[in-house]
Amino acid sequence: NSCCFCLTLRTGTILIGVGNYTLYLCMFTWYLTSSSIDTGGLRDGLDITSLDISIFSIFCIQILVNILLLVGAVKRIPSHTIPWLCANAVSMMIAMVFIGITILFGTTKLNLNYSEYVTSLTIMGMVTGINLFCWIVVFTFRKNLIIEAHLDRFPSGTAELSGVNNQCPSSLILNPPPPSYYEIEGYKECKPPPEDSPPEYEEA
């Protein structure tokens, strides 16, 4: 129930949302203003290209889901964390696909030298690992919020359950069944009256 052994899950989730929001906002600003990227399109005053639309859509989605994550963490609303979990699960799967492609075809079809091959794998592995850790923190925080909401909604059932758990084992033994008819009557024997034996052959 803690994040990095020193923070609560709520504080860790808020920091994750703030960090991701700042990171994607800075990356989008850098994409629009950096002169080292030569992609044409909107940056050079030309028509909007498909690359501009794709990058703009990705950054908008990430910024929106991080805002929802911050609102959900501050106001303790578990449903607001679902978009962030879904978006980052998709990004982690895409990153793992890129890692697999780099491992298989990095030095052959991608024409990477050894240093570029090792550097790209290291960066993608670190980013995926950090993203996975953040995903686990947010998922655990959402699970705890759901449990707390359930306990607040049904406090009587929780109290009864805790009372049953605190009882001694001897008190949980079921009551014995009611006595039978013969036990009530004092174990009386209900034998039929004796009958006369049939006549012998000579007498008949």
Side-chain angles (χ1 to χ4, degrees), residues 13-15 17-18 21 65-75:
T13 303
I14 293 174
L15 291 178
V18 172
Y21 176 83
V65 297
N66 281 284
I67 291 174
L68 283 174
L69 179 66
L70 287 173
V71 174
V74 172
K75 295 187 176 181

Side-chain angles (χ1 to χ4, degrees), residues 42 51 123 152 154 197:
L42 184 63
L51 180 62
I123 293 174
D152 293 339
F154 303 103
S197 57

Side-chain angles (χ1 to χ4, degrees), residues 43-202:
R43 299 179 64 258
D44 297 333
L46 303 176
D47 293 334
I48 298 176
T49 62
S50 59
L51 180 62
D52 293 331
I53 296 175
S54 301
I55 293 177
F56 181 75
S57 301
I58 291 172
F59 282 117
C60 285
I61 290 173
Q62 290 293 337
I63 289 172
L64 287 176
V65 297
N66 281 284
I67 291 174
L68 283 174
L69 179 66
L70 287 173
V71 174
V74 172
K75 295 187 176 181
R76 297 180 179 274
I77 304 174
S79 60
H80 283 21
T81 62
I82 296 177
W84 190 93
L85 292 172
C86 295
N88 282 269
V90 173
S91 65
M92 282 190 294
M93 288 189 291
I94 294 174
M96 293 176 67
V97 170
F98 278 119
I99 290 173
I101 293 174
T102 306
I103 292 173
L104 296 176
F105 310 107
T107 57
T108 56
K109 294 184 178 181
L110 298 180
N111 296 324
L112 299 176
N113 56 35
Y114 182 74
S115 61
E116 293 174 346
Y117 177 75
V118 174
T119 303
S120 59
L121 283 180
T122 303
I123 293 174
M124 286 190 293
M126 291 178 61
V127 171
T128 306
I130 294 172
N131 201 5
L132 178 61
F133 174 77
C134 296
W135 194 91
I136 293 173
V137 170
V138 176
F139 179 80
T140 308
F141 174 70
R142 177 179 178 273
K143 183 179 178 181
N144 288 352
L145 286 181
I146 294 174
I147 293 174
E148 291 175 0
H150 180 75
L151 295 179
D152 293 339
R153 188 179 301 175
F154 303 103
S156 60
T158 306
E160 292 177 359
L161 182 60
S162 61
V164 170
N165 292 332
N166 294 328
Q167 288 181 0
C168 297
S170 59
S171 61
L172 299 177
I173 300 175
L174 297 176
N175 294 327
S180 62
Y181 175 77
Y182 294 105
E183 292 178 352
I184 296 176
E185 295 294 329
Y187 300 98
K188 294 180 179 180
E189 295 182 357
C190 298
K191 296 182 179 180
E195 298 180 356
D196 297 334
S197 57
E200 294 181 358
Y201 179 74
E202 297 178 353

Side-chain angles (χ1 to χ4, degrees), residues 22-32 59:
T22 307
L23 175 64
Y24 284 107
L25 193 61
C26 292
M27 290 176 63
F28 186 62
T29 305
W30 173 75
Y31 171 77
L32 293 177
F59 282 117

